[in-house]
């Protein structure tokens, strides 16, 4: 598997493990010192930042676990752009999160991820992840569109 496919696999596992509530395995996709930030948008007005793998897992379990008690989740990841340079990679992809309950389904949030990966022991791990939700205000260092 080439580097681009390996990063794409990590992106897919990120969504699928979270949606299945497999939080410990989800945490293994991050470096121990990773940072994860979600920037509020027009639909979801809550921003948060988690520092370190343990904090990321606890935060994800708290937010996603409550939703999974009420139904299923699916993170629809699309349009990935991946740049690889040695043992570092940067990726952007769009996401729509859908909550499925017995009463139907509804979109919870949408936005764009900007994620920095590092290769450690042959695996591509998330070192820094930012989700800018639609309608949110991007920080200065957030590239809405990757370089062409």
């Amino acid at each position: 598997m080439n580097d681009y496919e390996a990063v794409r696999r990590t992106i897919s596992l990120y969504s699928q493990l979270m949606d299945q509530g497999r939080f410990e395995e989800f945490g293994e996709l991050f470096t121990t010192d990773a940072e994860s930030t979600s920037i509020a948008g027009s639909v979801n007005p809550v921003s948060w930042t988690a520092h370190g793998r343990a904090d990321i897992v606890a935060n994800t379990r708290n937010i996603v676990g409550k939703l999974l008690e009420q139904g299923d989740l699916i993170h629809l990841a699309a349009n990935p752009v991946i740049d690889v340079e040695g043992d570092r990679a940067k990726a952007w992809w769009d996401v729509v999160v859908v909550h499925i309950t017995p009463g139907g389904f509804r979109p919870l949030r949408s936005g764009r991820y900007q994620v920095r990966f590092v290769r450690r022991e042959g695996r591509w791990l998330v070192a820094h992840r930012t989700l800018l939700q639609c309608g949110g205000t991007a920080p200065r260092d957030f590239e809405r569109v990757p370089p062409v």
Side-chain angles (χ1 to χ4, degrees):
M1 171 178 343
N2 68 39
D3 290 334
Y4 295 95
E5 287 304 315
V7 171
R8 190 180 325 273
R9 185 173 197 280
T10 301
I11 291 168
S12 295
L13 284 170
Y14 174 96
S15 295
Q16 293 177 17
L17 291 171
M18 185 172 18
D19 291 343
Q20 293 299 307
R22 293 165 57 182
F23 301 119
E24 296 306 319
E25 291 168 276
F26 171 79
E28 292 172 16
L29 301 176
F30 293 83
T31 62
T32 56
D33 60 346
E35 184 173 291
S36 184
T37 298
S38 182
I39 299 169
S42 53
V43 174
N44 181 9
V46 177
S47 293
W48 55 264
T49 298
H51 301 279
R53 181 186 288 162
D55 194 25
I56 291 167
V57 169
N59 192 56
T60 303
R61 180 180 279 120
N62 181 48
I63 294 168
V64 174
K66 290 176 186 173
L67 292 166
L68 289 173
E69 289 173 7
Q70 303 164 17
D72 293 326
L73 276 181
I74 187 162
H75 283 71
L76 302 169
N79 309 319
V81 175
I82 302 166
D83 293 338
V84 176
E85 194 171 308
D87 287 336
R88 299 191 176 280
K90 197 170 192 180
W92 298 257
W93 68 92
D94 299 322
V95 65
V96 175
V97 182
V98 179
H99 192 209
I100 303 134
T101 64
F105 67 93
R106 67 183 177 98
L108 292 180
R109 63 187 53 93
S110 61
R112 176 159 298 152
Y113 282 106
Q114 178 182 291
V115 179
R116 292 192 316 260
F117 295 88
V118 294
R119 184 184 356 231
R120 299 251 171 98
E121 299 176 12
R123 295 181 57 217
W124 285 99
L125 302 176
V126 175
H128 188 274
R129 164 226 175 262
T130 300
L131 170 61
L132 175 62
Q133 296 183 55
C134 290
T137 302
R140 274 185 259 155
D141 64 343
F142 189 90
E143 298 171 275
R144 286 181 183 268
V145 179
V148 177

